[in-house]
Amino acid sequence: MPGNSTDLASGNGELPKYQLYKYAPSLAAAILFTILFLVTTIFHTFQMIKFRSWYWIPFVVGGYFQVVGYAARSVSSQHTSTLGPYLIQTLLVLLAPAVYAASIYMVLGRIIASLDGERYSFIRRTWLTKIFVGGDVLSFLTQSAGGGLLGSADGDIDKMHLGENLVIIGLFIQIIFFGVFVIVAIVFHFRYSKSGRYFPAMHKRLFTFLYGCSILILIRSIFRTVEYLQGEKGYFLSREVFLYIFETFLMFIVMAAFNFCHPGEVLGNGKHVVSEATSMTDGGERANYGPDGYMLDSTGRGTPSTAGRY
């Protein structure tokens, strides 16, 4: 089990000048999640290659961030005063969700393209990816800088405070962009659903997973923000169990969930339009729709519903 809040002492019973951890880190938990993240990431790598879904590369990279991060944490748990493994696990575990986000943003753009539904999004598809991935890069770089300062602070209070502030700013950027992204996805989903156009069951399922995983990443980011706002002696930062509940476990669920509903299985390489994909029948449901994607009326013509005119 993850360690509780304890004082770490050196071999002669004296406390070190600066404690990298505010608890005794668990070796077992770090090894367990190294293995779990390795399994799901290898599976993601296989799925990405199989479906040629190269837009999923950032997500896979985020998975390997987790693997290396928790492997480094395993080493660090046995060498709690050694900076190297501690810095690696701090940075990679912190940054992995920001890398996930880049792929998730691109998936929405490809869903919109595959449904030929740009008219139902209040942000143009070409701008959607640029805006959100740009915000994600800004968040990533800010958190990287903050995490680097925190990992190398070595008791320097000013350096620690600067690092904490940068991480908090980066997390706020991530929360804002992710929150707006979820709103954009919901609005598009609602408008497209009301349009009367063909909405494949697999796309609906992917939307469900997209919402669920986005909410988990938001919960994780809010937890991390509160953790850093509490400061070095905060309740969350001094108890390892919260890291494993609100960071590690939630991010593993995100990765495993997309193994079960991989975007590549629905979107392929992201360059196909549903109305042109004759192989995607959804059990015969596609036959009720015309080539323009609209449901056929009694005369056999596809007609957009009034609700779909935005």
Side-chain angles (χ1 to χ4, degrees):
M1 286 294 293
N4 294 321
S5 178
T6 59
D7 290 330
L8 301 179
S10 59
N12 59 9
E14 296 179 357
L15 289 173
K17 287 184 178 181
Y18 177 70
Q19 296 172 257
L20 295 175
Y21 295 98
K22 308 308 174 187
Y23 46 75
S26 169
L27 173 62
I31 291 176
L32 173 63
F33 279 99
T34 300
I35 295 170
L36 291 176
F37 277 116
L38 180 61
V39 170
T40 183
T41 303
I42 289 174
F43 192 20
H44 270 292
T45 305
F46 167 76
Q47 290 175 305
M48 179 185 69
I49 295 171
K50 177 183 177 181
F51 299 119
R52 303 180 64 82
S53 48
W54 309 127
Y55 51 85
W56 204 241
I57 288 175
F59 193 94
V60 175
V61 170
Y64 286 111
F65 272 25
Q66 300 281 22
V67 174
V68 176
Y70 284 98
R73 190 175 181 86
S74 301
V75 175
S76 184
S77 69
Q78 302 303 294
H79 303 277
T80 55
S81 60
T82 303
L83 181 61
Y86 174 80
L87 183 58
I88 292 171
Q89 66 89 27
T90 297
L91 280 173
L92 295 186
V93 172
L94 176 67
L95 296 174
V99 187
Y100 294 163
S103 282
I104 291 174
Y105 293 148
M106 286 188 277
V107 164
L108 179 60
R110 281 160 176 77
I111 290 175
I112 293 172
S114 73
L115 295 172
D116 191 23
E118 186 167 344
R119 76 196 76 172
Y120 304 109
S121 173
F122 65 82
I123 296 179
R124 289 183 60 184
R125 182 183 61 82
T126 51
W127 280 103
L128 186 148
T129 301
K130 293 175 184 176
I131 291 171
F132 289 111
V133 173
D136 193 55
V137 169
L138 179 60
S139 170
F140 179 91
L141 293 176
T142 308
Q143 290 182 68
S144 297
L149 286 172
L150 281 173
S152 61
D154 195 23
D156 185 328
I157 300 300
D158 291 337
K159 199 172 183 180
M160 285 168 56
H161 285 166
L162 178 58
E164 287 175 350
N165 289 336
L166 285 173
V167 170
I168 290 168
I169 291 170
L171 287 167
F172 268 117
I173 293 171
Q174 187 176 43
I175 290 170
I176 291 169
F177 274 87
F178 226 103
V180 174
F181 166 78
V182 171
I183 293 171
V184 171
I186 289 173
V187 170
F188 170 78
H189 191 176
F190 175 78
R191 289 179 170 182
Y192 193 88
S193 298
K194 295 293 184 181
S195 70
R197 287 175 62 86
Y198 177 52
F199 203 165
M202 291 184 70
H203 282 66
K204 294 176 183 177
R205 182 169 179 258
L206 181 56
F207 259 116
T208 300
F209 277 78
L210 202 65
Y211 292 143
C213 291
S214 295
I215 289 170
L216 291 182
I217 293 175
L218 275 173
I219 291 171
R220 171 264 174 195
S221 298
I222 292 169
F223 159 72
R224 280 295 208 169
T225 303
V226 173
E227 179 186 52
Y228 280 101
L229 283 171
Q230 288 181 345
E232 190 71 12
K233 297 180 180 179
Y235 188 80
F236 288 153
L237 204 58
S238 61
R239 287 161 177 82
E240 187 180 34
V241 67
F242 292 113
L243 174 75
Y244 278 96
I245 292 173
F246 293 107
E247 168 76 55
T248 315
F249 180 68
L250 294 188
M251 294 306 96
F252 172 72
I253 293 298
V254 167
M255 291 207 67
F258 279 122
N259 283 137
F260 283 100
C261 183
H262 194 276
E265 186 177 6
V266 181
L267 304 170
N269 62 10
K271 297 179 181 179
H272 299 296
V273 178
V274 167
S275 60
E276 298 172 354
T278 56
S279 62
M280 191 175 298
T281 62
D282 280 339
E285 178 189 355
R286 180 70 183 88
N288 297 321
Y289 292 78
D292 59 357
Y294 287 111
M295 183 177 290
L296 297 174
D297 60 18
S298 58
T299 65
R301 292 181 298 181
T303 306
S305 67
T306 304
R309 295 173 182 163
Y310 287 92

